[in-house]
């Protein structure tokens, strides 16, 4: 089986779509664990995906919103416990 070079070539739009999905997944995961790291990462990935013109704009926007929510959840827990870590 022979694949052509165009079938395996990565395009900026395809990379942006991957960043949009990664942003959504990391933002969602960040609500549960490591929101200090995953929240900003989701925000940056969403911003880059939107800047590059992703076709998955909705997922990028959800990733952006979830990343911001991650930081808001962290801020609420920090305010409640007066510490940078939180547990149940």
């Amino acid at each position: 089986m022979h694949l052509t070079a165009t079938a395996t070539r990565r395009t900026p739009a395809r990379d942006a779509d991957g960043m949009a999905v990664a942003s959504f997944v990391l933002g969602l995961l960040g609500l549960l664990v490591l929101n200090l790291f995953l929240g900003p990462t989701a925000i940056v990935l969403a911003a880059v995906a939107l800047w590059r013109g992703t076709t998955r704009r909705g997922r990028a926007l959800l990733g952006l919103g979830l990343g911001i929510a991650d930081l808001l959840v962290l801020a609420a827990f920090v305010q409640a416990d007066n510490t940078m870590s939180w547990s149940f």
Side-chain angles (χ1 to χ4, degrees), residues 5-82:
T6 57
T8 59
R9 186 178 301 157
R10 297 176 76 165
T11 63
R14 190 170 171 201
D15 288 344
D17 291 346
M19 284 185 223
V21 172
S23 170
F24 172 71
V25 170
L26 291 177
L28 194 59
L29 186 60
L31 287 173
L32 303 174
V33 294
L34 296 173
N35 46 4
L36 179 63
F37 301 108
L38 296 179
T41 303
I43 292 169
V44 169
L45 283 173
V48 171
L50 289 168
W51 182 71
R52 288 187 178 182
T54 181
T55 59
R56 296 181 180 197
R57 185 171 169 80
R59 288 214 177 104
L61 291 173
L62 281 172
L64 182 65
L66 287 169
I68 292 169
D70 292 347
L71 296 179
L72 292 175
V73 166
L74 176 65
F77 280 123
V78 166
Q79 193 70 7
D81 294 341
N82 291 327

